[in-house]
Amino acid sequence: MSKEKAKAPIALTKNEIAAKIAQSIPDGSIVNLGIGMPTLVANHLPKDREVILHSENGILGMGPAPPVGQEDYDLINAGKQPVTLKPGGAFFHHADSFAMMRGGQLDICVLGAFQVSAKGDLANWHTGAADAIPAVGGAMDLAVGAKQTWVMMDLCTKQGESKVVQSCSYPLTGVACVKRIYTEWATLACTPQGLELIDKVDGLSIEDLEKMVGISIKAS
């Protein structure tokens, strides 16, 4: 009897990654979601715990995206996307928002990235290309001000190059600040000793993951 053919691993969708991150956030956390993919996390927060979302343009208590047709463009996040406000939510000056970020008031920030090194260096504001438009925003303040920095990104570029690298080649946003990397194939921890595996999709071996990344990964 022939052996049953193993199923090929299936990458997570962006919403599935966002849902995984949302489930990982502890009850009572104050969290900032960066521009791009991380904003999806707001739509997947569990209803059985309280997570207070902060937006660097001056919102605390931000809710998920509004239903289509009910957008209010006077109520937007830092990426200029319409959002909602939870009961008890508040608006405040941009300077006060940055004081929260720099003052260690955020438990977690979830950011996108161009590159993350094995020890947690973050590059997410500029590729260094001559025609690239730098856009640091509040990323530097978030990366070093939050108690934990998590990254949500695709594992590889469109050209197939790993965004998780041994050493960043792009200008850095922060040094050794990233604790976790959430991607469509695996969740990784950045440590002083290198990458550690938190979890991966079914059917993907750690050896295949190491080939994709090009770096040794310690099994959990």
Side-chain angles (χ1 to χ4, degrees):
M1 183 180 293
S2 62
K3 294 183 179 179
E4 185 179 348
K5 188 176 181 180
K7 292 183 179 179
I10 300 174
L12 300 178
T13 66
K14 289 178 173 57
N15 275 300
E16 287 173 332
I17 304 171
K20 176 175 284 192
I21 294 172
Q23 289 290 339
S24 301
I25 298 172
D27 186 32
S29 297
I30 301 176
V31 180
N32 180 285
L33 303 177
I35 294 171
M37 288 172 60
T39 60
L40 295 173
V41 175
N43 300 330
H44 298 277
L45 294 172
K47 298 185 184 301
D48 63 350
R49 70 188 74 165
E50 182 180 32
V51 174
I52 301 171
L53 294 182
H54 168 275
S55 184
E56 72 180 59
N57 57 317
I59 305 175
L60 196 61
M62 185 174 64
V68 175
Q70 297 183 30
E71 298 91 346
D72 177 358
Y73 283 91
D74 286 329
L75 181 57
I76 58 174
N77 62 20
K80 300 181 180 178
Q81 298 170 313
V83 295
T84 55
L85 192 69
K86 289 189 172 182
F91 314 114
F92 36 86
H93 195 279
H94 210 163
D96 294 322
S97 180
F98 271 74
M100 292 179 190
M101 293 155 57
R102 296 169 180 171
Q105 304 302 312
L106 303 181
D107 295 302
I108 298 168
C109 69
V110 185
L111 302 174
F114 294 133
Q115 289 179 333
V116 181
S117 78
K119 65 177 183 179
D121 297 336
L122 172 66
N124 79 339
W125 70 281
H126 194 17
T127 63
D131 59 347
I133 301 174
V136 68
M140 290 182 178
D141 307 86
L142 288 166
V144 300
K147 294 171 186 173
Q148 289 195 62
T149 298
W150 297 353
V151 162
M152 176 183 179
M153 67 178 187
D154 293 325
L155 182 61
C156 298
T157 66
K158 293 179 180 179
Q159 292 73 38
E161 297 176 354
S162 176
K163 293 184 179 181
V164 180
V165 294
Q166 190 66 52
S167 180
C168 293
S169 59
Y170 295 155
L172 293 184
T173 306
V175 175
C177 57
V178 177
K179 300 302 182 187
R180 295 185 190 178
I181 308 169
Y182 289 84
T183 77
E184 74 274 38
W185 293 110
T187 304
L188 303 168
C190 299
T191 77
Q193 292 75 40
L195 295 173
E196 292 184 5
L197 181 68
I198 296 175
D199 60 44
K200 56 184 176 59
V201 299
D202 292 339
L204 180 69
S205 69
I206 192 168
E207 291 78 16
D208 287 338
L209 181 60
E210 287 176 328
K211 287 179 183 178
M212 296 169 71
V213 176
I215 302 172
S216 176
I217 300 171
K218 183 180 178 180
S220 55

